[in-house]
Amino acid sequence: MAVWARQGIVTERDIRDFVGDNSFLRGLAYYRRGAVFDTLRRGGTLLARSRGSGKNEYRIELRLDDAGAVEQAHCTCPVGGDGRCKHVAAVLLKWLHSPDVFRDLEDARRVLRRRTKAELIALVDEFLRREPELQLLIEAPRVHVPPKG
């Protein structure tokens, strides 16, 4: 079990205190029906998606401090900007009860270095299909930034 599951947010009461009663109860229903998916962890950051009402899906990001308390939270839903929505509650419940389903996310640079040129081009094509405004980044003047690590 991960250190963050043992410290910080250790009870459903802690989650309720963080998000509030209404968001907790609605988040508990989302958690129980399996609305949380694509659960990832990078250090103390949790990333996940949650199905909302209707066909909406939202992205959730939570940063936990070394003691496991929520340092920062954000959800892309209309009320989740401050991280105190039902989707955040559902992700925290998933983390509390099933921390092992949060897959460790490898550093993106390391992953990209293993890809072939053709794979990288296909990946960029997919990014552009999903987010057409990224085309502006491709056409922007290149700035040399030395690679880290």
Side-chain angles (χ1 to χ4, degrees), residues 31 34 36-37 39 89-99 101-102:
Y31 163 72
V36 176
F37 62 104
T39 51
V91 171
L92 287 169
L93 287 162
K94 184 90 164 187
W95 176 245
L96 174 66
H97 296 294
S98 305
V101 303
F102 285 78

Side-chain angles (χ1 to χ4, degrees), residues 8-23:
I9 294 200
V10 293
T11 69
E12 290 187 2
R13 180 79 231 171
D14 294 328
I15 297 169
R16 183 186 295 261
D17 289 346
F18 180 74
V19 299
D21 289 337
N22 188 43
S23 289

Side-chain angles (χ1 to χ4, degrees), residues 29-97:
Y30 275 50
Y31 163 72
R32 286 180 175 161
R33 74 171 190 230
V36 176
F37 62 104
D38 286 350
T39 51
L40 302 168
R41 182 176 67 86
R42 182 178 44 233
T45 299
L46 303 178
L47 304 164
R49 292 194 305 161
S50 176
R51 287 175 201 83
S53 53
K55 295 182 181 182
N56 297 324
E57 290 182 357
Y58 300 107
R59 290 185 312 274
I60 299 95
E61 182 172 344
L62 299 157
R63 188 168 47 225
L64 307 176
D65 66 18
D66 290 340
V70 177
E71 197 172 84
Q72 187 176 9
H74 178 77
C75 177
T76 59
C77 77
V79 297
D82 68 352
R84 305 214 187 259
C85 67
K86 60 191 172 190
H87 309 107
V88 166
V91 171
L92 287 169
L93 287 162
K94 184 90 164 187
W95 176 245
L96 174 66
H97 296 294

Side-chain angles (χ1 to χ4, degrees), residues 124-141:
V124 170
D125 286 343
E126 179 63 18
F127 288 157
L128 291 174
R129 187 186 67 72
R130 292 182 186 189
E131 303 288 339
E133 68 274 6
L134 292 176
Q135 181 70 36
L136 297 172
L137 291 175
I138 291 173
E139 295 176 3

